[in-house]
Amino acid sequence: MRQNNEAIVCEPFCTRPYFTDIMSSGPKFPPAMQEWVTSQFQKMQKFPPAMRDAAREEMKKIIAHAYSTGTMLSIPWSTVQLTSLNESDPLKNLKRKTTDHAEGPPKKVQLTNNSFVPSVKPLKTNVFEDDARTRREKRFQREALIEQNRNLNTNHHTVMVSGMSVGGSLGARMQGFAHSHHHVPWRHVAEPVPDANVIDWDKYTIVGRSTSIFKNYLRLTSDPDPKDIRPLSVLRQTLEQLKQRWRSEGNYNWVCDQFKSLRQDLTVQRIKNEFTVQVYEIHARIALENSDLVEFNACQAMLRTLYELGLPGKREEFLGYRILYMLHGRNRADLNFLVSQLTPQEKELPAVQHALKAHMAMATGNYHQFFALFLVAPNMGGYIMDHYVDRERCGALITMAKSYRSLPLRLLQTELGYESDELPKLLDFLTKHSANVFTNPNAPDIEKHVACSAVIQTLIQVQSQKYAKVGIKGSV
């Protein structure tokens, strides 16, 4: 397409199709002006496309100003120079620095007629810079959109000139410009302007044709092929089969791989509905059950987006999970911001209320309440708390060891959130944290007492080494 535009620009001005339209339907332009326009277009050919675009824009402003002021016949057109083409060697632009404009403002177009002094905005930066090129492209797109809308309303003939739409008579357009020369009409547009930097995903949306129920997950390295993608009807069957396989076999690695493949097929087909929410919720719960925070976080992040779209789902449940997970990361700033955004109705939801109480217990150092909440966590919140309950147990044990000479295991089993049959887990915890020093080592396990003075320093050292950093996997 660019090659066709370049070919049009190379033609003399007076022989180009749109000039013929202008001469037949608009005002008569003086021969000197026609010769000047033709010479300037010929001069543009040795310049880069970016400079040609800027020169054409400047030429439009000069002609429009001359028409609106009635000076087309009195201007010595042979002496008019375009600021955008004032360098004989376009390669000099490569050597210019962005600070060149600080040396002084560029000269305006010099004419003998004092009434015609158009103010042409100079190029302040290197025309080859990406940001300048982007701004020009957006401006040209905006002008083209305005021209197209204007032509649709007036039923004028439309032709394309170097990627810009020029419709109707140039005289009619210049009359409008003369009446509104104090402002540029295309700067006040209500219609949205398409952004060239934003991908139009509608062009890449596909509908799958595969009938396979199961498919291994493979990361896409090229455009998806519809024959390898399962449509929504097949994906519904896949979900039912996966739920049955998980209940009967419990092979997490295989089930997780199948769920990732299912999510991928939903994504490439841009399917976002109640079924999509169900898929991500089920996968998130299975991941929690298997301590896979990576997949849980991937599902949780997508669920946030789906819930914001107004799709129905277990929003209360996963909002509680999000707060509990933030307690694991100890990200106080994000957690406080999330809590501040909760409505009074959301704070009364059981899952959210439990998570907020756990947050308050940790913030105030109330380990007794925290472990009581840990034992009654709703839904699958206990699976998330499992990831940082030992950290809180270590801190609670340090606090108690500073206050007592000895601590009976019967008391620790209750205060540290262990069930009545989990004494072996308590002993294992003490061993891993080098706190298995007892005042009566020969007594039965349930009757043993931890020697606080002997383990306090070891516990503090273990806490600083083991829990100083939090291993966050994924992002919620």
Side-chain angles (χ1 to χ4, degrees), residues 354-394:
H354 171 271
L356 293 177
K357 288 181 179 179
H359 169 42
M360 182 61 66
M362 290 181 59
T364 58
N366 189 345
Y367 57 83
H368 176 83
Q369 183 183 12
F370 175 81
F371 293 116
L373 292 168
F374 168 69
L375 294 176
V376 296
N379 302 316
M380 301 184 69
Y383 287 97
I384 299 179
M385 300 178 76
D386 280 339
H387 289 274
Y388 55 94
V389 67
D390 280 351
R391 181 188 70 198
E392 300 305 316
R393 283 170 174 161
C394 183

Side-chain angles (χ1 to χ4, degrees), residues 375-428:
L375 294 176
V376 296
N379 302 316
M380 301 184 69
Y383 287 97
I384 299 179
M385 300 178 76
D386 280 339
H387 289 274
Y388 55 94
V389 67
D390 280 351
R391 181 188 70 198
E392 300 305 316
R393 283 170 174 161
C394 183
L397 185 56
I398 291 175
T399 301
M400 288 187 283
K402 292 179 179 179
S403 306
Y404 298 91
R405 291 183 177 180
S406 63
L407 291 168
L409 293 188
R410 194 186 305 273
L411 173 65
L412 292 178
Q413 186 175 358
T414 303
E415 288 299 317
L416 297 183
Y418 288 100
E419 299 284 356
S420 58
D421 59 344
E422 292 183 336
L423 181 61
K425 292 185 178 180
L426 172 59
L427 293 173
D428 184 58

